[in-house]
């Protein structure tokens, strides 16, 4: 096959919310923009998400009248992150409103505020939340472009197509960005095109070498710059092991076949610096019958125990903090896997939490990723934990539920703890986040360490330029999203921080290219 060379103004590698924001920023200003996606569908992990976007103090929050402001957001981040990455902190907060204003000028893009609490009790926190979301997108509005959007996780993992229905969450975000891109007339969207190498001329990155859908090698050269926003390293067990990144690729929520660090490796070969490669956006995962993980969030009942049958955390913690607690506990006592122990208060086999994707209790029981028993002692035997310990743990928790106070881990005392626990969930307990484990049969679901993508990657500056170890920038090369080392370090400040930072720094990358 003969090699092909294609010219453009801006090249974007990846197709998540950050990548497409960057692509739209360029295309809307008349720049010929090529988007390269390794897999058959656009959206990456962003399409799997609920599409909360942490872009604080914008016109969307102002329309909602929630009292948010850039100053509050700046105070919150500074209180949580300290002076780390202060220049990028400021750039992120200062640019958020500009990004939203720019995007909402397009008739295909509209956001609204939806409540979802920030994750840490710090000055500047919004207990009701400050994240914004894309408006749901009816299939009739997106038309045939809907076939380009990555389906929800359960459908995608099974190799299916999304039903023709309203796109919500991350699929709505990706669909709206694709509509906006198409309307510019300046975007070339290329799926099944795997970027492999970076092309360099006189020390400047000018494009990529990729494999086209027909197997041909294609060179794509970009006049203004190359933006890498193609996910993290979560899909590569080899790279995870090299950097001691906890967890496994099969437990990650990243799309299969993607996010294997190809371009990160290529950038490092050019001298790029990296950071936080042992980090991820952690979450607990229900182990599925096929061995994969399913994002577990919103636990409203039951308790989580380690291999000794002991509780070791507030089960209603924000998911990243939950994952970090698993990692910490696992250093001394096996907590990966842990078990979510629950009863039949909500119905037999009804998980008191949200699992994405979900699998029936019958399938879990058949695969023994869940076990069921008529007594706590029998349940302990089934999961091989000391029966006396588990019994004591359950009895102690039941006493907490009766009195409404978790004396061990303060479950139910933070606004986030109660977000998924309406008062009707209390079952007579004074605390809606606590109710006893007393109605058999009893269940134990195996919990693994999952992630929503890794957050370590190429070190970048406030304009998303990729940096060398000495702090100098690699000319022509930019990175955002999970391809870049996260602004938030070892914290997950609130819902939508991954998307918010990806979108802002992709936008800033294009701004810098155009100077």
């Amino acid at each position: 096959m003969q090699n092909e060379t294609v010219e453009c103004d801006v090249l974007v590698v990846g197709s998540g919310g950050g990548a497409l924001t960057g692509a739209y920023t360029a295309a809307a200003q008349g720049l010929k923009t090529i988007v390269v996606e390794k897999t058959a569908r656009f959206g990456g992990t962003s399409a799997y998400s609920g599409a909360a976007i942490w872009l604080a103090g914008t016109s969307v929050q102002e329309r909602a009248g929630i009292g948010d402001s850039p100053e509050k957001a700046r105070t919150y981040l500074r209180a949580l992150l300290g002076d780390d990455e202060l220049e990028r902190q400021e750039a992120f907060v200062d640019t958020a409103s500009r990004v939203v204003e720019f995007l909402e000028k397009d008739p295909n893009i509209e956001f609204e505020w939806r409540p979802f609490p920030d994750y840490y009790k710090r000055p500047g926190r919004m207990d009701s939340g400050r994240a914004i979301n894309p408006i749901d997108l009816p299939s009739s509005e997106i038309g045939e472009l809907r076939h380009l959007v990555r389906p929800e996780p359960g459908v995608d993992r099974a190799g299916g197509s999304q039903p023709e229905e309203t796109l919500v969450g991350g699929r709505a975000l990706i669909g709206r960005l694709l509509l906006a891109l198409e309307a510019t007339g300046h975007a070339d969207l290329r799926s099944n095109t795997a970027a492999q190498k970076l092309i360099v001329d006189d020390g400047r990155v000018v494009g990529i070498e990729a494999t086209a859908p027909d197997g041909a090698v294609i060179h794509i050269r970009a006049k203004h710059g190359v933006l890498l926003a193609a996910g993290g390293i979560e899909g590569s067990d080899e790279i995870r092991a090299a950097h001691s990144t906890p967890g496994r690729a099969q437990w990650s929520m990243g799309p299969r076949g993607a996010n294997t660090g190809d371009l990160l490796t290529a950038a490092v070969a050019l001298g790029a610096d990296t950071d936080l490669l042992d980090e991820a956006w952690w979450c607990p995962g229900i182990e599925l019958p096929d061995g994969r993980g399913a994002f577990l969030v919103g636990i409203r009942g039951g308790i989580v125990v380690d291999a000794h049958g002991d509780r070791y955390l507030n089960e209603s913690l924000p998911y990243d903090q939950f994952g970090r607690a698993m990692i910490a506990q696992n250093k001394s006592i096996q907590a990966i896997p842990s078990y979510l122990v629950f009863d039949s208060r909500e119905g037999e086999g009804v998980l008191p939490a949200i699992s994405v994707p979900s699998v029936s209790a019958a399938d879990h029981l058949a695969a023994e990723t869940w076990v069921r028993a008529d007594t706590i002692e029998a349940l302990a035997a089934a999961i091989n934990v000391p029966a006396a310990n588990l019994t004591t743990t359950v009895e102690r928790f039941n006493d907490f539920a009766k009195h409404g106070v978790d004396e061990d881990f303060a479950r139910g005392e933070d606004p986030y703890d109660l977000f998924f626990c309406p008062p009707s969930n209390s079952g007579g307990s004074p605390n809606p986040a606590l109710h006893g484990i007393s109605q058999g049969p009893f269940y134990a679901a195996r919990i693994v360490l999952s992630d929503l993508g890794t957050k370590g990657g190429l070190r970048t500056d406030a304009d998303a330029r990729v940096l060398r170890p000495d702090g100098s920038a690699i000319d022509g090369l930019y990175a955002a999203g999970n391809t870049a080392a996260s602004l938030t370090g070892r914290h997950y400040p609130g819902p939508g921080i991954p998307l918010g930072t990806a979108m802002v720094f992709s936008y800033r990358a294009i701004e810098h290219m155009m100077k």
Side-chain angles (χ1 to χ4, degrees):
M1 297 180 184
Q2 187 174 3
N3 291 356
E4 178 188 4
T5 298
V6 178
E7 305 280 346
C8 64
D9 293 315
V10 172
L11 172 62
V12 178
V13 182
S15 68
L20 294 187
T21 296
Y24 174 72
T25 303
Q29 298 177 74
L31 298 178
K32 181 181 178 183
T33 305
I34 294 179
V35 177
V36 171
E37 165 56 41
K38 180 180 180 181
T39 67
R41 303 285 180 84
F42 290 85
T45 309
S46 300
Y48 287 172
S49 75
I53 308 168
W54 209 91
L55 292 173
T58 75
S59 56
V60 182
Q61 288 92 346
E62 186 176 344
R63 291 197 300 262
I66 62 171
D68 189 25
S69 68
E71 290 71 27
K72 283 186 177 180
R74 188 176 291 109
T75 296
Y76 179 64
L77 289 178
R78 187 73 175 273
L80 187 60
L81 307 178
D83 291 338
D84 290 345
E85 300 279 11
L86 188 56
E87 185 180 1
R88 292 175 74 204
Q89 284 186 48
E90 294 294 321
F92 172 53
V93 174
D94 290 345
T95 309
S97 60
R98 198 160 76 244
V99 171
V100 170
E101 181 181 2
F102 175 73
L103 292 175
E104 287 203 319
K105 285 181 180 178
D106 189 286
N108 295 295
I109 303 176
E110 185 180 0
F111 301 104
E112 65 180 6
W113 171 78
R114 297 175 189 169
F116 198 173
D118 283 337
Y119 293 161
Y120 287 88
K121 188 175 183 179
R122 296 288 191 280
R125 181 195 197 186
M126 294 290 290
D127 287 348
S128 61
R130 53 171 39 106
I132 65 176
N133 293 72
I135 301 294
D136 295 349
L137 178 60
S139 286
S140 58
E141 292 184 21
I142 189 173
E144 290 303 305
L145 274 178
R146 63 181 294 278
H147 299 295
L148 296 180
V149 180
R150 184 174 294 282
E152 63 186 33
V155 174
D156 196 37
R157 289 181 178 183
S161 297
Q162 193 70 26
E164 190 163 340
E165 57 191 20
T166 296
L167 276 67
V168 301
R171 290 175 293 288
L173 175 65
I174 299 305
R176 290 190 175 281
L177 288 168
L178 288 175
L179 278 171
L181 271 167
E182 183 183 62
T184 68
H186 299 292
D188 180 358
L189 305 175
R190 300 187 174 217
S191 60
N192 290 312
T193 302
Q196 297 168 332
K197 298 179 182 178
L198 295 168
I199 301 173
V200 181
D201 284 350
D202 296 326
R204 174 181 172 81
V205 174
V206 296
I208 63 166
E209 180 180 299
T211 303
D214 62 0
V217 174
I218 181 171
H219 291 168
I220 304 176
R221 300 178 70 90
K223 178 181 177 181
H224 293 292
V226 176
L227 170 60
L228 307 180
I233 61 170
E234 61 269 17
S236 171
D237 278 318
E238 180 180 358
I239 299 179
R240 293 181 80 121
H243 297 285
S244 301
T245 311
R248 301 177 186 172
Q250 69 174 352
W251 292 344
S252 174
M253 286 301 297
R256 297 304 178 258
N259 304 351
T260 51
D262 307 339
L263 271 298
L264 181 142
T265 301
V268 168
L270 297 182
D273 195 14
T274 61
D275 196 13
L276 299 171
L277 287 174
D278 61 338
E279 273 290 344
W281 307 98
W282 304 113
C283 62
I286 289 281
E287 186 174 7
L288 299 179
D290 64 3
R292 298 180 181 181
F295 177 40
L296 179 66
V297 68
I299 293 178
R300 59 184 181 270
I303 58 173
V304 170
V305 299
D306 59 23
H308 286 182
D310 297 325
R311 289 179 75 209
Y312 60 90
L313 82 169
N314 167 6
E315 294 85 355
S316 295
L317 280 173
Y319 41 88
D320 182 71
Q321 295 172 48
F322 192 128
R324 291 179 187 280
M326 292 183 74
I327 294 169
Q329 184 74 357
N330 197 62
K331 292 177 181 178
S332 56
I333 300 168
Q334 181 182 305
I336 305 174
S338 291
Y339 284 91
L340 173 60
V341 175
F342 59 101
D343 67 5
S344 297
R345 185 178 304 271
E346 298 186 34
E348 289 192 28
V350 177
L351 185 74
I354 299 169
S355 170
V356 182
S358 63
V359 171
S360 71
D363 287 344
H364 273 296
L365 291 167
E368 298 183 348
T369 49
W370 291 15
V371 295
R372 176 176 56 199
D374 291 330
T375 66
I376 294 298
E377 292 80 3
L379 193 73
I383 60 176
N384 196 31
V385 304
N389 281 15
L390 184 60
T391 299
T392 298
T393 298
V394 170
E395 289 175 348
R396 180 171 175 81
F397 179 78
N398 286 350
D399 188 58
F400 294 161
K402 180 180 178 181
H403 295 96
V405 178
D406 179 359
E407 296 178 9
D408 291 338
F409 301 105
R411 178 167 156 187
E413 295 182 15
D414 188 89
Y416 184 90
D417 296 1
L418 301 175
F419 185 75
F420 297 97
C421 299
S424 60
N425 184 67
S426 65
S429 171
N431 185 335
L434 303 176
H435 57 72
I437 302 171
S438 58
Q439 298 183 20
F442 303 97
Y443 294 82
R446 194 151 63 230
I447 308 299
V448 296
L449 177 67
S450 187
D451 60 67
L452 303 178
T454 50
K455 64 188 303 187
L458 303 173
R459 196 162 66 85
T460 56
D461 67 7
D463 291 313
R465 296 185 299 171
V466 175
L467 303 177
R468 299 182 180 90
D470 65 4
S472 63
I474 298 177
D475 197 17
L477 187 62
Y478 301 78
N482 289 347
T483 305
S486 175
L487 159 70
T488 66
R490 302 185 189 278
H491 294 86
Y492 195 149
I497 276 281
L499 269 174
T501 51
M503 293 167 72
V504 161
F505 289 109
S506 291
Y507 176 89
R508 290 183 64 91
I510 304 304
E511 277 194 325
H512 189 271
M513 289 181 197
M514 296 174 65
K515 290 180 179 178

